[in-house]
Amino acid sequence: MSQVQWSSRLGHVLAAAGTAIGLGAIWKFPYVTATNGGGAFLLLFLLFSFTLGVAVLVGETLLGSQSQRGVLGAFKKLVGPNWRWMGYMGILCGFCIYSFYSVVGGWTLGYVGFAAMGRLNLSEGDALTALFTGYVSDPWWPALTHLLFAGLTWWFVQGGIQKGVERALRWMMPALFVMMLLLVGVGLSLPGAMAGVRQLLLPDFSQLSGQSVLDALGLAFFSLSIGLGVHTTYGAYLPSSQGVLRSGVWVVTLASLISVLAGLMIFPALASTGIDPSAGPGLTFMTMPAVFNQLPFGQGLALIFFLLLVVAALSSSISMLEHLVRFACEEWGWSRRGACRVLTLLIMATGVPVSLSFGIWSEATLFGKTLFELLDYLTSNLMMPLFGLVLTLLLGWRLGDKMLPEGAPPLARFALLWCWRLVAPLLIASILLRGIG
């Protein structure tokens, strides 16, 4: 598999950007930004994205490009066999995330169906809340849409890197931008929309707190899908480390642009309709349909919005399955198609109880958490920060200069090395301590 490569540098950038641009950029960024001071929080988020985010993303990619291996093989080859546990943790983390991410991805498919059938033509918050809770707690429909979402992901990945993953993301990413720009244009044309734009873009530093800084740091880290080795897997399909730093900056730029566009898509529409953008995680499924119901051509706009979420979700799930497939092919000698089939069946089987944890199994808890909440907590608060912390320390203090990307300017190489050594470990440690606390 080490001889398989991206057809171009653009293919790698789009794929890596697709990994970073998931549901979080569309539904999480707007409400977290709204609750933390708007424009001031946005500046912090961008600062952390272009420092911590670039450093860790580039470091993960360099592991793959310099070893020509997936995450487990990269640690064995470059650091030593005693560090295989880091690779296994990255694989386990990816499997756990994909198990519950596929369920949420299935919700987006379900809501595409609701929008197409006109079932979202509701204005009352209580009615939309009842629709959402009734759907996710149903024992059958969310499980079926999870299976369909996992099946779609399998379809794209089983075709290979160039004819499957790269080809899919070459049309998914432009489609994502086009749909977002359409919805941004509609939102900005609404009366009172500029109030939402001001809330998003004008800094009000009086609303910032220590918690806001930690929220911006955590959002920058997790929104780029760093901390589980996916970018190492994608880096393994690069011929060398030449241009990795430049590609990493492009990936962070595209991911940040999508987040800002999501804010420009949602804030003006909410300001025009008088809905509070800090409504929380339920904003997407329980609030946005009410916004579209008050707009001209609302049903069509709702359909476009949820199709947008499907594309965003698939762009991330494709990378997660490819991460697992590379491991199975490289370490166990499986064929790509066989690995895709077996791993997809495992994800399908694991995702069903995750889906049921919103309904008939909601009372089954461990440490006070449902299965969905437990998987989310373990991956986001423990496994990903621990992976990122150990990775940056290894890059900065053990592997050092030999891991720096070829062709990068001397100043950039110096900054990257010291970010690995000091800045990134300190910032990631604060995320880890916050998660433990």
Side-chain angles (χ1 to χ4, degrees):
M1 290 194 67
S2 61
Q3 296 179 355
V4 178
Q5 294 181 0
W6 303 106
S7 65
S8 67
R9 181 74 59 174
L10 176 63
H12 169 248
V13 169
L14 290 177
T19 301
I21 300 166
L23 289 175
I26 312 290
W27 68 266
K28 188 172 185 179
F29 174 81
Y31 83 79
V32 174
T33 303
T35 56
N36 283 283
F41 180 84
L42 174 61
L43 290 176
L44 276 178
F45 168 75
L46 293 175
L47 173 65
F48 289 135
S49 294
F50 282 94
T51 51
L52 170 71
V54 169
V56 180
L57 189 149
V58 168
E60 282 195 21
T61 306
L62 287 169
L63 277 183
S65 65
Q66 296 214 18
S67 68
Q68 296 292 291
R69 300 286 188 273
V71 65
L72 181 60
F75 278 103
K76 286 196 297 185
K77 182 176 180 178
L78 296 176
V79 190
N82 290 336
W83 291 92
R84 288 181 301 174
W85 65 272
M86 279 286 290
Y88 282 120
M89 184 170 67
I91 294 298
L92 178 61
C93 184
F95 184 88
C96 292
I97 291 175
Y98 187 23
S99 296
F100 67 81
Y101 191 87
S102 181
V103 173
V104 181
W107 296 350
T108 67
L109 290 174
Y111 265 67
V112 166
F114 286 161
M117 293 184 292
R119 292 189 60 186
L120 300 182
N121 294 336
L122 302 168
S123 299
E124 297 296 326
D126 290 344
L128 286 166
T129 301
L131 177 66
F132 176 74
T133 54
Y135 168 65
V136 300
S137 62
D138 186 272
W140 295 105
W141 287 113
L144 290 174
T145 53
H146 146 66
L147 296 178
L148 178 59
F149 183 84
L152 282 173
T153 305
W154 164 82
W155 174 256
F156 290 118
V157 175
Q158 57 87 33
I161 283 296
Q162 292 187 13
K163 295 183 179 180
V165 175
E166 188 174 348
R167 180 180 293 175
L169 291 167
R170 276 183 180 272
W171 69 261
M172 279 186 184
M173 300 311 295
L176 189 73
F177 274 101
V178 169
M179 286 189 286
M180 291 193 81
L181 288 173
L182 174 63
L183 291 173
V184 168
V186 171
L188 292 177
S189 68
L190 299 173
M194 286 303 106
V197 174
R198 287 192 293 271
Q199 183 181 4
L200 174 66
L201 298 181
L202 291 182
D204 182 0
F205 293 100
S206 65
Q207 295 189 42
L208 288 180
S209 63
Q211 184 63 43
S212 300
V213 175
L214 289 174
D215 284 345
L217 178 59
L219 187 61
F221 186 86
F222 300 117
S223 66
L224 293 171
S225 293
I226 50 182
L228 60 155
V230 168
H231 294 288
T232 298
T233 297
Y234 276 178
Y237 301 121
L238 290 171
S240 70
S241 65
Q242 184 78 32
V244 165
L245 179 58
R246 183 170 62 252
S247 296
V249 173
W250 269 111
V251 170
V252 174
T253 300
L254 289 173
S256 301
L257 178 60
I258 286 291
S259 294
V260 173
L261 284 176
L264 288 173
M265 180 177 68
I266 291 175
F267 273 62
L270 296 180
S272 177
T273 53
I275 295 176
D276 183 8
S278 60
L283 180 68
T284 298
F285 297 101
M286 293 184 282
T287 307
M288 288 307 294
V291 174
F292 294 125
N293 196 48
Q294 299 178 49
L295 303 179
F297 311 106
Q299 183 175 345
L301 293 174
L303 180 60
I304 293 172
F305 178 77
F306 285 106
L307 282 171
L308 172 74
L309 289 184
V310 171
V311 172
L314 280 171
S315 68
S316 286
S317 65
I318 285 171
S319 68
M320 286 184 242
L321 181 55
E322 177 60 35
H323 183 47
L324 302 175
V325 167
R326 172 83 193 206
F327 164 77
C329 294
E330 192 172 275
E331 300 299 324
W332 297 337
W334 291 8
S335 68
R336 167 174 281 273
R337 290 183 178 273
C340 279
R341 279 195 298 270
V342 173
L343 288 167
T344 298
L345 289 173
L346 286 173
I347 289 295
M348 286 178 168
T350 308
V352 170
V354 173
S355 178
L356 294 177
S357 70
F358 288 90
I360 59 176
W361 288 1
S362 61
E363 299 300 320
T365 60
L366 185 63
F367 305 113
K369 300 180 185 296
T370 65
L371 181 57
F372 181 95
E373 293 167 342
L374 184 64
L375 290 174
D376 185 27
Y377 174 80
L378 290 175
T379 54
S380 299
N381 293 279
L382 300 177
M383 298 173 75
M384 291 175 71
L386 180 60
F387 184 99
L389 177 61
V390 177
L391 171 67
T392 52
L393 289 172
L394 286 172
L395 287 169
W397 296 102
R398 178 157 177 170
L399 298 174
D401 292 351
K402 67 180 182 180
M403 287 300 296
L404 292 170
E406 301 173 32
L411 182 59
R413 290 164 62 90
F414 175 82
L416 186 60
L417 181 61
W418 282 98
C419 194
W420 288 340
R421 287 182 172 177
L422 292 177
V423 179
L426 288 174
L427 293 176
I428 299 172
S430 67
I431 299 175
L432 183 60
L433 292 174
R434 178 192 178 194
I436 295 173

